[in-house]
Amino acid sequence: DIFVGSGTWNVGNFYTGGKWERYDNDGARAIYTKNEDIKALNKMTVTFQSDGTFSGTIVNGTFSGRWEANGKDRTIRIINLKTSTTPSGKGKELIEALQNAAFYKGDTNYLKIAPEDKKSYVQLGHYSE
């Protein structure tokens, strides 16, 4: 339900550090702090479908692929990720975060996706412009 029942997700920010095991990720630091950067992040989207596919938008392009998640151990796998353009900047960061996705946590308001080492994550939410 976190993925499919929540509609389209917007990128909130990329974070580093903190303690993944804590609900609030105590000590995690946002990579982007300027308003214009955060507005640009919020324009990037991801939508997960119940059939195991997903799609989204990045600056000057789109992407799609397949996803699998396990609610028991909170693991996620992104498969066959394809982009309509060669991503750069913040779009490249999002694509790399999805390609390296291994764990997730959150609810229908916020979704955090981390790589295997859990030392960074991308936070998705429902942000309005």
Side-chain angles (χ1 to χ4, degrees), residues 64-84:
S64 62
R66 299 194 55 77
W67 66 280
E68 298 173 352
N70 182 324
K72 290 182 182 177
D73 61 8
R74 299 282 180 159
T75 56
I76 183 171
R77 245 179 57 164
I78 300 295
I79 309 158
N80 298 330
L81 179 58
K82 294 181 172 81
T83 60
S84 65

Side-chain angles (χ1 to χ4, degrees), residues 2-3 19 27-28 31 35 53 59 73 79 88-89 93-94 98 105 109 113 116 127-128:
I2 292 173
F3 294 95
K19 295 181 174 108
I31 301 296
N35 261 356
T53 62
V59 177
D73 61 8
I79 309 158
S88 62
E93 286 182 79
L94 175 59
L98 292 173
K105 65 180 178 177
N109 296 311
I113 299 175
E116 190 71 38
Y127 308 101
S128 58

Side-chain angles (χ1 to χ4, degrees), residues 20-86:
W20 178 259
E21 294 74 26
R22 289 187 53 144
Y23 182 77
D24 62 355
N25 291 350
D26 186 37
R29 295 173 309 283
I31 301 296
Y32 295 100
T33 57
K34 294 180 181 175
N35 261 356
E36 60 267 19
D37 288 329
I38 294 169
K39 284 181 181 181
L41 290 173
N42 292 170
K43 290 181 182 177
M44 294 191 296
T45 65
V46 182
T47 305
F48 297 95
Q49 302 296 332
S50 60
D51 66 357
T53 62
F54 69 92
S55 60
T57 60
I58 53 176
V59 177
N60 298 323
T62 60
F63 60 90
S64 62
R66 299 194 55 77
W67 66 280
E68 298 173 352
N70 182 324
K72 290 182 182 177
D73 61 8
R74 299 282 180 159
T75 56
I76 183 171
R77 245 179 57 164
I78 300 295
I79 309 158
N80 298 330
L81 179 58
K82 294 181 172 81
T83 60
S84 65
T85 185
T86 302

Side-chain angles (χ1 to χ4, degrees), residues 8-9 11 26 38-41 69 87 89 93 100 110 117 119 128:
T8 297
W9 293 96
V11 176
D26 186 37
I38 294 169
K39 284 181 181 181
L41 290 173
E93 286 182 79
N100 295 321
Y110 294 99
D117 67 8
K119 292 183 178 181
S128 58

